[in-house]
């Protein structure tokens, strides 16, 4: 594991136009509500030092930094953004040494663990608990029954959006061919919501709140450290 000190310049896309294009592609109206849900849940607990796992291009990192949190990031490789210039830990989650990232009030781990085999994700939950953090905010894709409807009506303007997801509890999830793709999702056979929440409990986390984000169709949990 390596820790990159504050002030160290990290990787940025060489082509500014390509960097902007990727920002607009990834942080789309579909994903933005999910990013803000993370900040909303964090605001419901007493936390100052936050470890953000899987920051990608730094959108949530910037929100946390400007909100006044002392945030550090962790990812498999170097930090992929230059600002905000926060400390970064480059390591493999499956071999994370809890003592190397101790002292945080909360860990933010969203849309990350589904990229690992399910048993490896369970082990990571235990490792994060061993860091001593009091809170965990975690989200993974949700493939259960989900219906969301929005209607916007204004003078000369009518807009509707419908998102419907049928339950997959009788189907087995087929891992994506990409080595970094999804290995499982909550809602499929063998990884039901009850199984996932059982994994959280077995790792020492007590669920305080559960929300479903739309239109990303993810399930997000705010967890406290179980006594």
């Amino acid at each position: 594991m390596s820790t990159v000190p504050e002030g160290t310049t990290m990787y940025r896309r060489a082509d500014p136009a390509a960097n902007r294009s990727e920002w607009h592609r990834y942080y789309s109206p579909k994903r933005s509500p999910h990013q803000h849900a993370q900040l909303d849940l964090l605001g419901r607990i007493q936390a100052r030092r936050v470890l953000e796992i899987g920051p990608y291009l730094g959108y949530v990192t910037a929100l946390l930094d400007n909100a006044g949190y002392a945030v550090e990031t962790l990812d498999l490789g170097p930090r992929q953004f230059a600002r905000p210039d926060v400390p970064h830990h480059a390591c493999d989650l499956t071999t994370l040494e809890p003592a190397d990232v101790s002292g945080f009030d909360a860990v933010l781990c969203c849309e990350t663990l589904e990229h690992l085999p399910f048993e490896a994700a369970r082990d990571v939950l235990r490792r994060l608990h061993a860091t001593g953090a009091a809170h965990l905010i975690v989200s993974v894709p949700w493939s259960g029954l989900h219906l969301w409807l929005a209607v916007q009506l204004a003078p000369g303007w009518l807009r509707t959006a419908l998102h419907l997801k049928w339950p997959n509890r009788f189907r087995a999830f087929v891992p994506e061919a990409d080595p970094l793709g999804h290995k499982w999702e909550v809602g499929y056979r063998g990884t039901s919501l009850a199984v996932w929440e059982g994994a959280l409990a077995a790792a020492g986390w007590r669920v305080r709140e559960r929300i479903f984000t739309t239109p990303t169709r993810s399930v997000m949990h705010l967890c406290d450290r179980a006594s």
Side-chain angles (χ1 to χ4, degrees):
M1 175 174 180
S2 62
T3 302
V4 181
E6 187 173 2
T8 301
T9 301
M10 297 300 295
Y11 170 84
R12 293 191 74 192
R13 295 176 188 273
D15 183 353
N19 186 66
R20 286 194 297 273
S21 177
E22 177 62 3
W23 257 84
H24 287 289
R25 183 200 71 81
Y26 189 78
Y27 296 117
S28 64
K30 173 184 176 180
R31 286 191 173 93
S32 295
H34 186 276
Q35 316 295 332
H36 286 270
Q38 299 174 41
L39 188 66
D40 181 53
L41 286 182
L42 191 59
R44 302 180 193 186
I45 59 177
Q46 295 296 319
R48 191 187 73 83
R49 292 195 67 212
V50 178
L51 176 66
E52 181 195 358
I53 297 174
Y56 194 37
L57 297 179
Y59 183 6
V60 174
T61 315
L63 293 176
L64 298 175
D65 182 64
N66 283 280
Y69 292 99
V71 58
E72 298 183 20
T73 55
L74 185 152
D75 214 336
L76 187 60
R79 197 176 71 206
Q80 297 194 53
F81 52 92
R83 296 182 299 273
D85 192 5
V86 300
H88 180 74
H89 306 265
C91 79
D92 185 335
L93 269 180
T94 61
T95 59
L96 174 70
E97 291 294 338
D100 291 338
V101 287
S102 61
F104 289 95
D105 302 313
V107 175
L108 194 60
C109 185
C110 294
E111 307 306 290
T112 299
L113 296 181
E114 69 275 8
H115 297 279
L116 303 173
F118 191 73
E119 286 306 314
R122 291 172 65 105
D123 181 63
V124 169
L125 291 176
R126 290 189 288 266
R127 290 173 183 268
L128 295 180
H129 185 271
T131 67
H135 307 282
L136 170 70
I137 295 174
V138 60
S139 75
V140 291
W142 162 246
S143 294
L145 178 62
H146 197 148
L147 172 64
W148 181 80
L149 173 66
V151 178
Q152 182 182 11
L153 178 63
W157 175 259
L158 172 63
R159 181 177 181 180
T160 62
L162 172 67
H163 300 279
L164 174 63
K165 183 75 172 182
W166 292 106
N168 289 299
R169 64 181 180 274
F170 299 117
R171 296 174 55 197
F173 183 81
V174 179
E176 297 175 355
D178 184 345
L180 298 179
H182 292 192
K183 303 297 185 293
W184 56 275
E185 293 182 1
V186 170
Y188 282 85
R189 189 174 72 234
T191 53
S192 66
L193 184 58
V195 168
W196 176 237
E197 292 185 345
L200 289 168
W205 298 106
R206 182 178 62 248
V207 174
R208 177 193 293 198
E209 189 168 351
R210 175 213 299 152
I211 65 172
F212 296 93
T213 59
T214 300
T216 53
R217 297 194 300 270
S218 292
V219 58
M220 186 177 293
H221 289 89
L222 169 58
C223 303
D224 300 329
R225 185 181 187 84
S227 57

